[in-house]
Amino acid sequence: SFDWNDGLFDVTWSENNENVLITCSGDGSLQIWDMAKTKGPLQVYKEHTLEAYSVDWSQTRGEQLVVSGSWDQTAKLWDPAVGKSLCTFKGHEGVIYSTIWSPHIPGCFASASGDQTLRIWDVKTPGVKLVIPAHQAEILSCDWCKYDENLLVTGAVDCSLKGWDLRNIRQPVFVLLGHTYAIRRVKFSPFHATILASCSYDFTVRFWDFSKPNSLLETVEHHTEFTCGLDLSLHNRGQV
C-alpha cells in the first residue's frame, strides 16, 4: 500500500509496465507508483490548480499517454517519461469529473463535466472536437463502447444513463432509468457490445443490456454506503 498526504480520487494501470500505476489527488497532483519500489512515488506531477479527479492511460498501441481531468476545468496530457504536461485542454465551463481514452482511435479522449456536456478531444488539435449537451444535470462519468468507436455512455446526477452516437448527437441512442440517486461511474463490458454496469449514490450496482426492451439485467444491493467506482475484469467474464 502507498500513502499520499491528500485524498486519492482515481487510479489507472500502466499499459506498458505491469508494476506501474498512476493516481491523482485532491491537491491537484498526479503520482506515479512502482510496485517494485515501495518507498514513495517515482514522480509527482503538480500542475492542476484544483482537485485532480480523473486519470486514464491510453488504450491504443501506438502511444503511451496519460490524460487527467480536474476541478480546475482543464484536462492535461502527459507522457510518463516527460516531467511536465505536453498540453492543456480548455473549454469546459464546469469541473471535469471523468476523462477516458478511446479504445479505438489513437489520441482521442472524452471528458464529462459539471457543465452538463460530454466533450470529445483529439490530442493533435488543441480545441474541442465535439460538444454534446448530454444531460440537464452534472455528468459524473462516461465510457467508450469497446465494440463501436462511435458509441459512448454518460451517467449523471439526474439518475439516468444515456448512450451517444458521435455521428448523430441530436438525441441519445438509449436512455436507461432505474437508479434513484446520482450515477457515479459507468463502464461498458469488455466482452459484450451492449452490456454495461453502473454504480450510484443509491448504494447499488446495476447491470444493463441496452439492446433489450427490459434493459435492467440485475441490481446488486450489497453495499451499505455510496458506491463510487467499479470496473469489469478483462480476464474473467463474470467478475466486477
Side-chain angles (χ1 to χ4, degrees):
S1 92
F2 297 106
D3 289 315
W4 189 248
N5 54 12
D6 208 319
L8 299 177
F9 287 121
D10 202 8
V11 59
T12 184
W13 284 105
S14 163
E15 291 290 322
N16 69 350
N17 184 333
E18 64 183 25
N19 287 315
V20 170
L21 47 95
I22 299 185
T23 50
C24 62
S25 77
D27 60 9
S29 67
L30 278 64
Q31 304 79 27
I32 299 187
W33 310 91
D34 186 337
M35 291 195 302
K37 307 181 180 76
T38 53
K39 278 277 187 285
L42 295 180
Q43 190 131 22
V44 177
Y45 301 129
K46 176 79 174 76
E47 288 188 28
H48 286 297
T49 55
L50 291 171
E51 283 85 345
Y53 208 68
S54 171
V55 64
D56 195 33
W57 200 293
S58 58
Q59 300 295 304
T60 53
R61 285 287 165 260
E63 69 220 340
Q64 294 296 329
L65 296 172
V66 171
V67 64
S68 60
S70 169
W71 289 4
D72 66 13
Q73 306 184 4
T74 71
K76 285 182 180 283
L77 181 70
W78 310 84
D79 177 338
V82 177
K84 61 182 195 300
S85 65
L86 304 179
C87 60
T88 301
F89 298 89
K90 295 175 180 171
H92 277 296
E93 293 163 20
V95 303
I96 295 175
Y97 289 112
S98 182
T99 47
I100 303 286
W101 288 104
S102 166
H104 312 282
I105 307 158
C108 179
F109 70 91
S111 59
S113 167
D115 68 10
Q116 309 183 357
T117 67
L118 171 70
R119 297 181 187 228
I120 310 299
W121 310 80
D122 182 341
V123 300
K124 292 180 280 300
T125 55
V128 65
K129 205 167 153 185
L130 195 58
V131 179
I132 302 167
H135 295 258
Q136 289 180 309
E138 289 198 298
I139 306 169
L140 303 185
S141 185
C142 63
D143 196 30
W144 295 80
C145 179
K146 310 300 184 280
Y147 294 89
D148 182 345
E149 67 178 38
N150 291 301
L151 184 62
L152 288 97
V153 63
T154 50
V157 172
D158 63 10
C159 309
S160 75
L161 296 161
K162 293 185 181 182
W164 300 97
D165 186 324
L166 299 183
R167 295 161 299 188
N168 178 8
I169 60 172
R170 283 197 298 279
Q171 68 273 325
V173 186
F174 61 81
V175 179
L176 304 175
L177 302 172
H179 280 294
T180 55
Y181 284 92
I183 293 163
R184 183 62 191 271
R185 186 67 60 99
V186 57
K187 290 280 184 182
F188 271 105
S189 164
F191 294 107
H192 304 278
T194 59
I195 290 180
L196 43 96
S198 57
C199 64
S200 161
Y201 288 137
D202 66 13
F203 302 1
T204 69
V205 175
R206 292 172 196 243
F207 298 93
W208 315 80
D209 185 339
F210 68 79
S211 68
K212 294 186 171 165
N214 297 327
S215 298
L216 183 61
L217 299 175
E218 191 182 350
T219 302
V220 181
E221 299 181 338
H222 297 316
H223 289 290
T224 56
E225 251 304 341
F226 296 154
T227 318
C228 293
L230 86 170
D231 205 0
L232 290 87
S233 171
L234 293 171
H235 308 288
N236 182 337
R237 274 172 183 269
Q239 205 166 60
V240 178

